[in-house]
Every structure is written in structure tokens, then in C-alpha cells.
Amino acid sequence: MNNKLISIVVTGLLASSIIKSAFGTNVSIVGRIQAEYSGINIEGFSTQTTVNDPTFFSSWGIRAFEDLGGGFRVVTMIDFGFNTNGGPVGNREMFVGISKDSFGTLKFGRTHSPFADFAGGWTIDPFVYTTLQATGSGGTMIASANGLGSGSYSAVNSVVRFTSANFNGFSFAVLLMPGDASKLEAHLGNVLGGEGNNIGNTGGENGEWDIQVAAKYAMEIQDHKLEVFGGYSRDNVSSAQKRITAVNLKTEEVGRIGGVWSYKNFQLQGQYDYISNAIGAATCSDAAALGAIGEVTTRQCNTAMNPGGNGDIWYAGGQYRWGNTTLIAQGGMTHANNTDSLESRKAKSFTIGALYQLSRRTNLFGGYQQVNVIDKNSPVDHDRSTWTVGMRHLF
């Protein structure tokens, strides 16, 4: 019955695409799929190997636009993520907006944050959406799905986002989340409330007008290319969070700076984030750790600050392109300062690996990552080592 229903829905979508195209709307079905053979060894536990898509890269969606004249057009996107082992489907970006090449794009709905897809973040991580990615368990980039999250596959609910066109190398992005946006998940041992040791009040609920802004400047001199970027994220403390007596929570602020320099086949990239009063974007959510929900001892979230605490995260990496192969080395460190109730913790990581382009849409990847943890809150640090080989295809 379910297979028949899916077939009917897909057939209907394809048919509606043809009909709508006749009225001037351009509709396309897009997607991507990935599988990895990976092994993860956590200190004190046996190595776990799987063939899966643990970072939730795979997705399919519908993209459409309609010309309005005068250079303006309507843009829409509906995107669904899925797991190659048959796991549940999850929502990605879902928005409607208007754009003009000389001005920019204004979106309404559910979109990625500028810290994820505009200024640094996964735009400078060649291993994004693999078990070797810098976010979360990689220990060198903010990774949450909650609040104004910067996780690889996460998006922010109930927002207005504007991304400008490029003006002589300069561009910027602004995201606003109204105060009644839905709360999203954070895996914080009920420190921020919630049910089942999982769901927390870490979204924009009753916290008026959370905001994230970012800007970047790109220039090219002969064979040298340089891009510098910076940003500011403000996740206002909500009324629900203010009622939590275990932690004196305040409005979270994150500042970011970074850049990319490339010369012919060589590239260096890096960024630095400073976090104050972590409550959302820099705390540990399900997007930030590999493993099943509830496996607290084995699910590392090395980018996480202590709830209500301060800290910083830095990331640096280099790439060298050799024919169809890109060789990669990167790493960094997270430092979560102590709070009144929690001790400090650090995570240092390094990653080496390679990407090989079979075609413009298909590549192979593989490598090794080591994360060393110094956690004064735990008698065992649970260091982590990961290896993987995988394949992905875009369609």
C-alpha cells in the first residue's frame, strides 16, 4: 500500500511539473545520494562499522522559478533528506521568495543559516556531509540544528532571509527569526528542558527576533584569490529558558571571522568563532553527533559549549588539487570554558584524506580523523578515531 502511495505521489509531482511548465513556471526535480563504509572507534567501546549515510547527505527535492519581468523572478524550494538504510525522511529547506540578479534574493520559510552556507561553515569544509566533516563530532566547527544552527543538513524554521548580489566583490546576508518560531532539538541532558533527554527549548520560541548577519569580500590578483568573511549571530534567551533555575541563561552571541586563500591548485582556509552564553547555536544537538539518540556516552559533540557558558572554536585546513584528486589536511580545536555547574572541556582534531572526481556529478572520498578530548566533567575522555570510504552522486 505504501509503495503504491509513493508511486502515485511521485507520478503526480512529475505530471504537475509538466503542466505548470506550460504556464511559464520552470520546475525541476533535484537530488543527491551517498553511501559510506566507515568505522568509528570511541575510547572504551568496541569499533562500530557501517555502510550507511550517517550525516544525512542524501536528499531529493523540487526547485521551481517563474519569471516576473523586469529581471525579477519567484524562487521556491522543497527539499527532503533521507537515509540510504531506509531511515525516516527529514525536512530541509522549504521556502518561497523573490530574486533579481542585480539585487539579491529574499526568502520566506525554512532556510539554511548564513553561518552554514554563506560565510565559512560548510562552504570551506571539503569533507562536509561525511563522517570526516569538521562540524560536530569533528570538533572544529559549530554544528547545531537548533536555534540559528550551522549544522551541515540543518535549516532554521520560520525565518526571513536576504542574500545580496555581489557588488564589486562585496556581498552580505541577513536572517531574522520571529520570537514565536518553533523550538528545536538540543541534546543537553535536560539542562535546557524538554522530554526524553533530547528535546530542548533552544529555538526562537518567545525570544524576540533572533538575528544572524554575515558579510564577505572576494578579490583576485593574477593567480591569487582571496576571500575574507565575518558574521554575528544573536539567539535571544526565551521566556522558557529564563525559567530554568539550574543555569542562569542569557542571550547567546557568536562572532565569526575567517578567510580563504588559493593559488593555482593550492588552497588554505580557516575560521574562528567566539561564543558567549551558549544556549542554541553552540550547544549540542542531534545534528552535531553521530550515533543513535540516547547513546549519551558514545555520541560525541565536540563543538559544544557548556550550556550558558563561553568558549571558542577554530578551524584551519589546506587542499591541493592533483588532476582529478584533491588531497586534504585540516583540523582545529574547541575550548568550552567552565561554568558554575560544569567544568571546562577541550577537543582537538586533525583529519587527512582525499576526494576523487569520477565526473562532474560523482566522486569518491575517504580518509581518517582523530579527535582527542580533555573533559574534566568525565572520568573517561572518550577520544574518537574515524575512517571512511564513500561515494556520492548528484542528480
Side-chain angles (χ1 to χ4, degrees):
M1 180 66 182
N2 289 337
N3 290 337
K4 289 182 179 179
L5 179 60
I6 292 172
S7 298
I8 292 171
V9 171
V10 172
T11 302
L13 288 172
L14 291 171
S16 66
S17 298
I18 297 172
I19 293 172
K20 289 182 179 180
S21 293
F23 288 94
T25 299
N26 295 283
V27 181
S28 59
I29 295 179
V30 297
R32 55 196 188 181
I33 189 165
Q34 171 177 290
E36 294 183 58
Y37 177 36
S38 60
I40 300 175
N41 180 65
I42 300 174
E43 183 181 3
F45 299 89
S46 60
T47 300
Q48 300 295 313
T49 58
T50 60
V51 178
N52 200 353
D53 181 16
T55 58
F56 210 48
F57 173 82
S58 303
S59 73
W60 70 276
I62 300 172
R63 182 182 293 123
F65 69 89
E66 178 186 12
D67 287 323
L68 300 177
F72 289 94
R73 62 179 181 173
V74 171
V75 293
T76 64
M77 181 70 189
I78 303 174
D79 192 19
F80 296 95
F82 62 89
N83 188 290
T84 51
N85 276 10
V89 173
N91 296 332
R92 299 275 184 82
E93 286 194 297
M94 296 185 175
F95 63 81
V96 62
I98 188 168
S99 72
K100 185 175 183 179
D101 291 342
S102 60
F103 181 66
T105 302
L106 181 65
K107 298 177 181 178
F108 302 88
R110 175 179 166 91
T111 76
H112 295 303
S113 76
F115 270 28
D117 69 357
F118 180 79
W122 48 326
T123 67
I124 61 173
D125 179 10
F127 280 132
V128 67
Y129 282 113
T130 76
T131 53
L132 303 178
Q133 64 186 4
T135 55
S137 56
T140 55
M141 284 188 186
I142 291 174
S144 66
N146 50 283
L148 300 178
S150 302
S152 307
Y153 63 78
S154 66
V156 188
N157 284 345
S158 183
V159 302
V160 179
R161 173 173 170 172
F162 175 74
T163 306
S164 78
N166 188 312
F167 301 104
N168 296 319
F170 175 80
S171 57
F172 66 93
V174 180
L175 181 145
L176 298 175
M177 176 196 284
D180 290 331
S182 299
K183 58 189 177 185
L184 296 176
E185 90 282 1
H187 198 77
L188 293 167
N190 267 347
V191 173
L192 297 184
E195 302 173 357
N197 202 29
N198 181 43
I199 306 300
N201 294 315
T202 56
E205 186 178 33
N206 298 321
E208 294 302 321
W209 287 105
D210 297 340
I211 184 171
Q212 194 170 96
V213 296
K216 59 185 177 182
Y217 178 77
M219 62 181 296
E220 184 173 349
I221 303 175
Q222 296 181 345
D223 292 327
H224 295 268
K225 296 179 181 179
L226 177 65
E227 178 183 288
V228 292
F229 55 81
Y232 171 77
S233 178
R234 182 182 177 88
D235 190 348
N236 291 304
V237 62
S238 70
S239 57
Q241 292 166 337
K242 289 178 181 178
R243 291 194 295 268
I244 299 172
T245 57
V247 183
N248 182 24
L249 297 177
K250 301 176 182 178
T251 291
E252 175 193 86
E253 296 179 280
V254 181
R256 168 176 292 181
I257 57 173
V260 180
W261 169 76
S262 61
Y263 176 73
K264 295 184 177 179
N265 294 337
F266 184 68
Q267 178 175 298
L268 294 175
Q269 67 272 353
Q271 69 180 35
Y272 173 82
D273 290 327
Y274 181 78
I275 300 99
S276 174
N277 303 316
I279 58 173
T283 51
C284 184
S285 73
D286 295 336
L290 303 177
I293 295 173
E295 295 179 359
V296 178
T297 56
T298 60
R299 297 180 79 242
Q300 286 188 309
C301 182
N302 296 308
T303 57
M305 300 293 105
N306 289 323
N310 304 333
D312 58 89
I313 304 174
W314 65 264
Y315 158 88
Q319 306 174 45
Y320 180 76
R321 190 174 67 252
W322 182 31
N324 290 341
T325 303
T326 302
L327 304 176
I328 301 161
Q330 59 189 32
M333 184 173 70
T334 293
H335 181 202
N337 297 343
N338 63 294
T339 64
D340 292 339
S341 56
L342 292 169
E343 296 294 328
S344 64
R345 58 190 300 274
K346 293 181 180 179
K348 304 176 182 179
S349 75
F350 72 87
T351 305
I352 55 173
L355 301 171
Y356 181 77
Q357 294 292 141
L358 293 171
S359 70
R360 202 163 58 90
R361 293 179 174 272
T362 305
N363 69 52
L364 304 175
F365 58 87
Y368 173 82
Q369 181 180 88
Q370 176 69 40
V371 182
N372 297 316
V373 181
I374 303 172
D375 189 352
K376 295 182 179 180
N377 299 288
S378 173
V380 180
D381 288 331
H382 296 307
D383 294 343
R384 182 191 195 108
S385 61
T386 302
W387 60 263
T388 192
V389 292
M391 181 176 183
R392 63 173 51 162
H393 174 73
L394 311 178
F395 62 88

